[in-house]
Amino acid sequence: MFCPQCGREFASSVNYCSQCGAAIWPSPPPATKKLYLSRTDRKIAGVCGGVADYLDIDATLIRLVWVMTVLFAGWGVLGYLIAWVVIPEEPLFQPAPFSARVQEPAPGGSRA
């Protein structure tokens, strides 16, 4: 683990940097991404849009690759239909991560 301010390396059990005094917190675990059918980027069922969102690339590239597999490999249509049935649809509401939530006002505070 490294100090975010001075860059000094410490053991994982340290809470504060002994050189500059900055708080050292372990990095949060990476957020897991889930594969969903896209609700916003869809042409037929949202399979290509969902795959593109999962892979963080442009949906048009996924669509072009999928068309190539339909034309040349022959299994693209079957793969699309299976993906359409198996992949769940993107939820309407996705809760914000804990650190991004807005805190409630203190009791007794003024309301507009």
Side-chain angles (χ1 to χ4, degrees):
M1 184 173 349
F2 293 92
C3 174
Q5 293 216 301
C6 66
R8 189 169 181 185
E9 186 175 5
F10 290 99
S12 60
S13 62
V14 175
N15 292 330
Y16 294 95
C17 176
S18 62
Q19 183 157 349
C20 68
I24 300 175
W25 303 103
S27 60
T32 57
K33 290 181 95 174
K34 293 190 176 189
L35 180 61
Y36 292 113
L37 297 177
S38 176
R39 287 186 180 271
T40 56
D41 192 9
R42 61 170 43 176
K43 298 295 182 195
I44 299 173
V47 173
C48 293
V51 170
D53 186 41
Y54 182 77
L55 298 175
D56 281 334
I57 59 175
D58 188 24
T60 305
L61 295 174
I62 297 293
R63 290 185 182 108
L64 287 172
V65 169
W66 214 287
V67 167
M68 295 296 195
T69 60
V70 168
L71 296 176
F72 299 114
W75 56 267
V77 174
L78 180 63
Y80 194 90
L81 292 175
I82 291 172
W84 189 354
V85 171
V86 172
I87 300 173
E89 192 158 4
E90 184 176 28
L92 289 173
F93 172 76
Q94 292 181 344
F98 182 72
S99 62
R101 290 188 181 149
V102 177
Q103 293 184 351
E104 295 292 323
S110 62
R111 290 190 173 176

